[in-house]
């Protein structure tokens, strides 16, 4: 389904990714692991089209990735706190709505609202549909963000450290939800994670990046020490 | 009760960049110099103030006590309401244009660099022309009365509110906008569903602040023929009826305090939502 082939990304003169190949199949949760600065978030941004690749290709079902092919779930969640959970989820449908039907939440067509409600049901938050997003817990907000991604109808979900800001229980719930959506609904989920134990419990496969190169791939239960050992400590630049 | 003293460490000297120190002194010197120039250019003279004190006292003696006759109070209250309506319409009628220009003048959402520059220039022009000057222009166009006052406030307020709103939009959390852009939403959809709802309390707060300012401005506009209580104040000064002038000023005071309290209450109610 999602395939990143020979991806090279530069930030200025620095090459961050050195020809990375990653593929995620339908119904699969792939966790990308690596230390800070290993290039895993850059890989996700390249997959989402947010960072241009100097070389390589991103395809979905063997066609060049279109904007509606991928839905993003962010570390910082990025909901509009003043709007209801339902309105935030409806916003996932904006790309397929004409302007006159999407200028305010009151104009959203009924079918979009019902579809958004269905997405909230799938993440277990139907009972909080009319609550302000800002009043929900961190884990609940991330589930609303996942519902917004579902409302985009994208076959690929890209999650950038989706549980870094959450407590352990909420992190388990969110990862379990992503895995369930992949397995039950056939989505391809690529999640950048900092926690190998979470990847072990929820991912179908892992990819380990070190200094912009894939150094391990496959079974989530394999040792991942090679990703983190003998790294120079991070030094703050003035 | 004993207190465990934390181990101490020597504080290293704060690094000072000689260039920063020199620049600081230059800025201080420039500030002092411009104040000296301003002092001279505005003919500030405490001696003149001391000599003229008696004239001010005579003026106040003629104004006190204010004329509190019911007819005058009624006339004053009616004119104050006109002033309030000028301030209200001057604020609300400027909202649509202010919003459009603010969206075009916000760097984070403006469709192109030249659009941003042109819009900023328009806003600067509208701000640079004082509302009194706009009032004089509109009085020549549509005659004396409250209507040119409303037009003048709208013209000036679009400049001020457009700029304030544009800067508020620029400071909005970019996260939700990034999320919607990545989901394929268009520029206007991003503004409507991410930026505007995120900063709505601040925008409303600024709107109320401008209403407060505009009510006071509409008072001044009355002095140049744009109706309302300012017109009555001007009339009583020209007829040397200073007791009536004081009455009008006291009624205005009540109006200004009421508007100030009202907008403060609304702003306070909005503040928790902004958090």
């Amino acid at each position: 389904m999602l395939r990143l082939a020979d991806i090279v990304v530069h930030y200025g003169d620095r090459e961050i990714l050195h020809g990375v190949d990653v593929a995620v199949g339908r119904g699969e949760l792939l966790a990308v692991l690596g230390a800070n600065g290993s290039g895993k978030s850059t890989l996700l941004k390249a997959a989402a089209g947010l960072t241009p690749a100097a070389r390589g290709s991103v395809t979905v079902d063997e066609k060049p990735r279109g904007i509606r092919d991928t839905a993003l779930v962010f570390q910082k969640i990025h909901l509009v706190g003043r709007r209801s959970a339902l309105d935030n989820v409806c916003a996932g449908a904006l790309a397929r709505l004409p302007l006159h039907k999407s200028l305010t939440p009151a104009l959203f067509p009924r079918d979009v609202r019902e579809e958004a409600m269905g997405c909230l049901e799938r993440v277990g938050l139907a009972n909080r549909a009319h609550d302000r997003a800002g009043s929900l817990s961190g884990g609940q907000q991330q589930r609303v963000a996942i519902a917004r991604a579902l409302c985009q109808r994208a076959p690929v979900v890209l999650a950038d450290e989706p549980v870094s800001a959450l407590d352990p229980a909420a992190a388990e719930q969110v990862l379990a939800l992503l895995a369930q959506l992949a397995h039950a609904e056939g989505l391809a989920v690529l999640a950048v994670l900092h926690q190998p134990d979470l990847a072990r419990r929820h991912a179908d496969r892992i990819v380990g990046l070190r200094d912009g190169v894939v150094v391990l791939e496959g079974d989530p239960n394999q040792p991942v020490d090679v990703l983190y050992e003998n790294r120079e400590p991070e030094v703050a630049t003035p | 009760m004993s207190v465990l003293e934390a181990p101490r460490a020597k504080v290293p000297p704060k690094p000072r960049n000689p260039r920063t120190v020199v620049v600081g002194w230059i800025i201080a010197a420039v500030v002092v110099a411009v104040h000296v120039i301003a002092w001279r250019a505005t003919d500030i003279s405490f001696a003149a103030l001391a000599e003229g004190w008696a004239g001010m006292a005579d003026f106040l003696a003629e104004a006190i006590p204010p004329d509190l006759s019911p007819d005058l109070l009624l006339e004053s209250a009616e004119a104050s309401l006109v002033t309030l309506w000028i301030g209200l319409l001057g604020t609300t009628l400027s909202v649509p244009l202010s919003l459009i220009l603010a969206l075009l003048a916000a760097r984070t959402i403006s469709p192109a660099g030249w659009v941003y520059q042109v819009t900023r220039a328009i806003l600067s022009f509208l701000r640079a022309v004082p509302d009194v000057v706009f009032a004089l222009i509109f009085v020549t166009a549509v005659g004396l009365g409250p209507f040119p006052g409303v037009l003048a406030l709208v013209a000036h307020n679009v400049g001020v509110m457009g700029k304030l709103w544009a800067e508020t939009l620029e400071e909005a959390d970019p996260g939700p906008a990034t999320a919607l852009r990545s989901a394929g939403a268009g520029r206007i959809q991003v503004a409507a569903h991410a930026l505007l709802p995120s900063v709505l309390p601040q925008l409303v707060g600024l709107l109320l602040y401008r209403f407060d300012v505009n009510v006071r401005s509409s008072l001044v506009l009355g002095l140049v023929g744009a109706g309302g209580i300012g017109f009555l104040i001007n009339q009583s000064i020209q007829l040397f009826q200073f007791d009536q002038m004081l009455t009008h000023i006291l009624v205005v005071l009540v109006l200004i305090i009421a508007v100030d309290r009202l907008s403060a209450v609304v702003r306070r109610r909005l503040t928790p939502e902004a958090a």
Side-chain angles (χ1 to χ4, degrees):
Chain A
M1 165 147 278
L2 173 70
R3 181 170 170 76
L4 293 98
D6 193 24
I7 298 290
V8 173
V9 173
H10 291 113
Y11 284 156
D13 294 338
R14 261 182 77 207
E15 189 169 295
I16 306 295
L17 295 176
H18 314 291
V20 172
D21 291 294
V22 170
V24 194
R26 198 179 286 276
E28 181 183 43
L29 169 58
L30 176 79
V32 179
L33 299 171
N36 289 338
S38 59
K40 55 191 187 306
S41 285
T42 304
L43 179 70
L44 184 132
K45 284 177 187 161
L50 297 176
T51 297
R55 201 179 73 205
S57 63
V58 181
T59 54
V60 174
D61 284 338
E62 298 178 8
K63 293 181 194 143
R65 187 202 76 95
I67 194 155
R68 295 197 194 176
D69 288 332
T70 52
L72 270 163
V73 176
F74 298 85
Q75 177 188 3
K76 291 185 180 168
I77 302 172
H78 296 334
L79 298 177
V80 178
R82 293 174 43 76
R83 288 251 167 110
S84 71
L86 184 64
D87 287 344
N88 271 284
V89 177
C90 286
L94 286 173
R96 58 179 187 273
L97 287 176
L99 197 55
H100 69 278
K101 287 187 177 176
S102 62
L103 259 184
T104 75
L107 294 174
F108 284 138
R110 175 184 278 200
D111 59 324
V112 168
R113 298 185 76 77
E114 286 177 355
E115 184 175 345
M117 195 64 207
C119 294
L120 274 175
E121 270 180 9
R122 284 150 77 189
V123 301
L125 284 174
N127 59 334
R128 308 297 300 269
H130 294 297
D131 290 0
R132 283 184 174 222
S135 72
L136 303 176
S137 70
Q140 288 169 333
Q141 288 189 30
Q142 193 58 290
R143 281 151 63 194
V144 172
I146 292 169
R148 179 177 63 189
L150 294 174
C151 202
Q152 281 179 243
R153 299 182 187 165
V156 178
V157 174
L158 304 168
D160 187 10
E161 300 184 26
V163 297
S164 293
L166 305 182
D167 65 46
E172 288 286 347
Q173 278 186 353
V174 166
L175 254 295
L177 174 64
L178 286 172
Q180 184 227 323
L181 290 171
H183 300 153
E185 307 197 12
L187 297 173
V189 181
L190 185 152
V192 167
L193 292 178
H194 259 305
Q195 303 91 333
D197 52 329
L198 280 177
R200 226 167 273 134
R201 283 197 291 280
H202 299 286
D204 300 299
R205 230 165 20 96
I206 60 169
V207 161
L209 278 178
R210 182 167 174 146
D211 299 328
V213 176
V214 175
V215 292
L216 58 85
E217 191 172 0
D219 184 359
N221 291 308
Q222 66 184 290
V224 294
D225 299 345
V226 66
L227 301 177
Y228 305 100
E229 62 196 11
N230 300 327
R231 290 187 60 83
E232 288 181 16
E234 288 184 48
V235 179
T237 48
Chain B
M1 193 174 84
S2 68
V3 176
L4 271 179
E5 194 173 334
R8 297 182 179 195
K10 192 180 173 192
V11 179
K14 192 175 176 183
R16 284 183 190 278
N17 183 347
R19 190 162 163 256
T20 310
V21 175
V22 171
V23 168
W25 277 109
I26 290 171
I27 290 171
V30 169
V31 169
V32 170
V34 295
H35 276 80
V36 169
I37 293 166
W39 186 279
R40 288 183 180 166
T42 51
D43 297 332
I44 286 183
S45 161
F46 288 113
L49 188 62
E51 281 171 25
W53 181 251
M56 277 167 55
D58 289 345
F59 179 80
L60 287 175
E62 284 183 45
I64 297 171
D67 180 354
L68 297 177
S69 59
D71 286 350
L72 185 72
L73 281 174
L74 187 66
E75 186 189 14
S76 190
E78 281 175 357
S80 293
L81 274 180
V82 172
T83 295
L84 181 67
W85 303 145
I86 295 172
L88 179 74
L89 291 178
T91 310
T92 52
L93 294 183
S94 64
V95 166
L97 199 53
S98 299
L99 186 60
I100 292 168
L101 292 178
L103 289 168
L104 296 174
R107 200 182 287 275
T108 46
I109 196 154
S110 191
W114 68 267
V115 175
Y116 168 84
Q117 296 293 351
V118 168
T119 315
R120 286 274 169 169
I122 292 169
L123 293 176
S124 297
F125 169 75
L126 293 173
R127 266 196 331 279
V129 179
D131 43 18
V132 174
V133 174
F134 275 126
L136 288 169
I137 294 167
F138 287 122
V139 162
T140 60
V142 297
L144 294 171
F147 182 43
V150 172
L151 293 176
L153 282 185
V154 169
H156 184 72
N157 199 52
V158 165
V160 178
M161 215 154 69
K163 178 180 187 278
L164 293 173
W165 280 3
E167 280 165 9
T168 305
L169 286 167
E170 284 178 353
E171 287 163 16
D173 174 13
T178 305
L180 295 195
R181 259 187 226 113
S182 75
R187 199 177 291 274
I188 297 174
Q189 289 173 322
V190 169
H193 292 280
L195 291 176
L196 289 173
S198 298
V199 295
L200 191 63
Q202 292 94 313
L203 299 188
V204 175
L206 289 168
L207 181 73
L208 289 168
Y209 165 70
R210 287 305 303 169
F211 171 54
D212 192 3
V213 171
N214 284 340
V215 170
R216 279 178 276 137
S217 295
S218 65
L219 176 80
V220 181
L221 297 185
L223 298 175
V224 295
I229 190 93
F231 187 72
L232 290 187
I233 291 173
N234 193 27
Q235 207 173 36
S236 31
I237 292 172
Q238 286 176 345
L239 298 173
F240 300 103
Q241 293 168 332
F242 298 123
D243 54 342
Q244 292 191 4
M245 177 208 71
L246 185 58
T247 306
H248 298 319
I249 289 175
L250 290 174
V251 172
V252 165
L253 187 67
V254 172
L255 173 72
I256 297 290
I257 290 173
V259 169
D260 181 58
R261 290 291 83 209
L262 180 71
S263 60
V265 167
V266 178
R267 275 203 296 262
R268 210 169 26 247
R269 284 187 166 250
L270 286 168
T271 306
E273 295 179 357

